[in-house]
Amino acid sequence: CQRRLKETLMDNIDEFLAHVRENIDQHGWHAQGVGARPDRPTYTYTVGLTAMGFEELVVVGLLPSQAHEVLTGGVRLLQDGVGLHAGRIVQGLLEGLPIKTTDCSNEHLNVARSVYGVEVMAVQLVWPDAAGRFPGEPGHDDSLPSQRL
């Protein structure tokens, strides 16, 4: 019974990864959402930018539609030659707010790692508080939901 369950799970994973690869083939990338857990907020990330020579993009704490909009805008910037290396600030991705790129571990990007291996690189896109301070900056409003992954 255990063996059959494991085989069924592996078949489901293979089917899912085939779906991800199909999205990448059709659209250039796939948006992977991950639900919140007690130790981590909801987040969404790209899978497919690695094959284009870019870092995968990650957003934390947004609704799926907002996350997809921000990631789509980020992908367009990359395709237009705008580098999104850590520390860059860009406009126009989230309701008129500036977005800052920060270093991000690939530890929680399981689908991207399954497709490309453990060497996947990523940057996280973060937004400021009402005073314009980004997470990690002195004076940032830490009462806001965490954008930490």
Side-chain angles (χ1 to χ4, degrees):
C1 188
Q2 284 272 354
R3 184 174 183 203
R4 187 176 359 204
L5 176 61
K6 185 175 182 179
E7 289 172 357
T8 300
L9 288 173
M10 291 308 293
D11 288 344
N12 289 340
I13 291 170
D14 290 342
E15 287 176 28
F16 176 73
L17 290 176
H19 168 73
V20 169
R21 288 182 179 100
E22 184 177 307
N23 274 347
I24 294 168
D25 289 345
Q26 290 180 1
H27 307 287
W29 62 286
H30 169 83
Q32 180 61 47
V34 180
R37 293 190 338 203
D39 63 333
R40 178 191 76 218
T42 298
Y43 63 101
T44 306
Y45 62 95
T46 61
V47 181
L49 304 185
T50 297
M52 296 182 214
F54 302 123
E55 296 169 310
E56 301 296 341
L57 305 177
V58 181
V59 293
V60 176
L62 295 178
L63 296 172
S65 61
Q66 291 174 313
H68 196 272
E69 182 179 326
V70 170
L71 294 174
T72 298
V75 170
R76 285 189 186 126
L77 287 175
L78 290 170
Q79 291 171 331
D80 289 344
V82 177
L84 294 180
H85 54 278
R88 177 109 193 214
I89 296 178
V90 295
Q91 297 286 339
L93 296 182
L94 181 63
E95 302 169 6
L97 293 173
I99 296 286
K100 183 176 182 179
T101 56
T102 64
D103 286 323
C104 181
S105 166
N106 73 7
E107 176 184 359
H108 299 292
L109 309 184
N110 295 330
V111 174
R113 290 173 53 196
S114 292
V115 172
Y116 297 111
V118 295
E119 298 303 318
V120 171
M121 302 296 289
V123 293
Q124 184 176 340
L125 308 177
V126 298
W127 56 93
D129 61 16
R133 292 182 289 258
F134 290 95
E137 291 182 352
H140 178 264
D141 184 354
D142 291 329
S143 70
L144 296 172
S146 176
Q147 294 184 54
R148 278 226 171 308
L149 182 58

